[in-house]
Amino acid sequence: MMDNTVPTSLEISHGGAQNGSAGGGEPVLKSRMSRLSSRTLEEFKKLGYIAGPAILTSIFQFSIGLVTVAFVGHLGKVELAAVTIASNVIEGFAFGVLLGMGSALETLCGQAFGAGQFDMLGVYMQRSWVITLVTALMISPLYIFTSPLLKALHQSHDIAEMAGKYSIWVIPQLFAYAFNFPMQKFCQSQSRVIVITVIAGAGLGLHALLNWIFLSKLHYGLVGAAVVGNITWWIINAAQIIYLLSGKFPDAWTGFSWKAFHSLGSFIKLSLASAVMLCLELWYFTAVLILVGLLKNPELAVDAISICMNLEMWTLMIALGFNAAISVRVSNELGALRPKAAKFSVKVATLSSLSIGVVFMIVVVSTKQLFPRIFTSEADVIKETAKLANLLSLTMVLNSVQPVLSGVAVGAGWQSLIAYINIGCYYLFGLPVGALLGFKFKFGVMGIWSGMLAGCLLQTVILVTITIRTNWQKEALRAEEHIRTWGGSAQPQGEAAS
């Protein structure tokens, strides 16, 4: 089996020394360094082609909710609080679960594409639709009973009532998520990302326009905001379906098939593992906010940590772009039985994302007295946020590496393992340490954040260790077994395997 990846720097140095003893070491070393640079640049371009659009798609879709909140904020304080709670608690939960379940396609479609099993991509997407739509149906009671649920959590009666009304009206968005994410992963696994990004950007622009018409001009209120969100998400879905049926996927999409209902048991298992893995990461930040809210006089601490987390979320989207890119690259190369190429891609992606994280760290540390002013003019909040700047900068560095390694896990199909690691590092270590530092040792918000940082550090160290010790040849054989298990043929085919 041929493997055309570049030798590591250690191999190059060793080879150079050997050749040097023969009298021609320096020219050979320069030649190999040139090849390494060329291959690194080529790999970076492949990653960037996926990561750039993935970053923009995440920002556009994330901003749909922000636009809704911005327009609803002009309706009144109660409306703003109701939509904020419904969006962050109810919709955020559903969004995370369905996105996580759809992420199983990053493993399966990516490996099938790498192996040249193009006809299975459409089948996998249909299986994912079956699972995510059923999951959405199971989650829908949460939307229906939002009001009594919030009242049971001792939320304001007026806010709970209004959030419940809003949640019922946005149920169509729940099923839009279920339909949307498998289509995105189907396209992403084939590096067809530009059109998806354009559709998301156009959807965001349309969403802002419709909110302006229905809320600012026609004054349809909270129901209008919900209906506009439904329209936006289903227009995005309709545009993606048109792209799917346009003939751009002649091999990957051959129409609906009864194969979509085969091997659902093992498919559900991987989908659930993907959902748990993602949700455990998303809920970690929510749990930290809850801990901060339990401090004495929590208003100042919550304001400061909210500013830091908002900034962290925006920078995290860049790392998530590399997460998407490396999951595609690893799954494609493993499916094509090119394990060394997968390993090389991991190195390039990790170093690239880490470099960006270091830049963010430097910017935050050097502007810690300035960046809080973007979010607030309150002197005490600015001062408290500046105290957290050093911890924020370290978190940014860790979160530039951790999503990439999680992407490697998705590409290789390690979701179950990573879910267990997340439970241990985040919930059995990070949160207890944060609670201990914050409450027992009276370090307050800095202690809670330090615990979160410790959990992230432990997780990153474990993921780095696993990645370094991975037998990539074995992972390529496992990818081949995945394809056989879920309906593909045993051997790589077509261009992807060449």
Side-chain angles (χ1 to χ4, degrees), residues 56-57 60-61 64 184 195-205 236:
L56 290 176
T57 300
F60 291 151
Q61 292 189 347
I64 289 175
Q184 282 194 5
V195 173
I196 298 300
T197 302
V198 171
I199 290 173
L204 175 61
I236 289 174

Side-chain angles (χ1 to χ4, degrees), residues 55-68 88 95 204 233 309-310 313-314 317:
I55 292 167
L56 290 176
T57 300
S58 297
I59 291 174
F60 291 151
Q61 292 189 347
F62 178 72
S63 298
I64 289 175
L66 292 181
V67 168
T68 298
N88 290 327
F95 190 97
L204 175 61
W233 275 102
M309 282 193 170
N310 273 303
M313 286 301 295
W314 283 102
M317 288 184 185

Side-chain angles (χ1 to χ4, degrees), residues 66 77 88 94 99 118 152 163 172 191-192 220 240 268 306 308 310 314 344 366 384 412 416 420 432 451 460 484-485:
L66 292 181
K77 291 183 179 179
N88 290 327
L99 175 60
F118 304 120
S191 300
R192 301 286 190 90
Y220 280 140
Q240 291 181 159
I268 290 172
S306 295
C308 290
N310 273 303
W314 283 102
F344 184 70
S366 60
E384 189 70 15
S416 296
Y420 287 118
T460 302
R484 282 198 299 263
T485 299

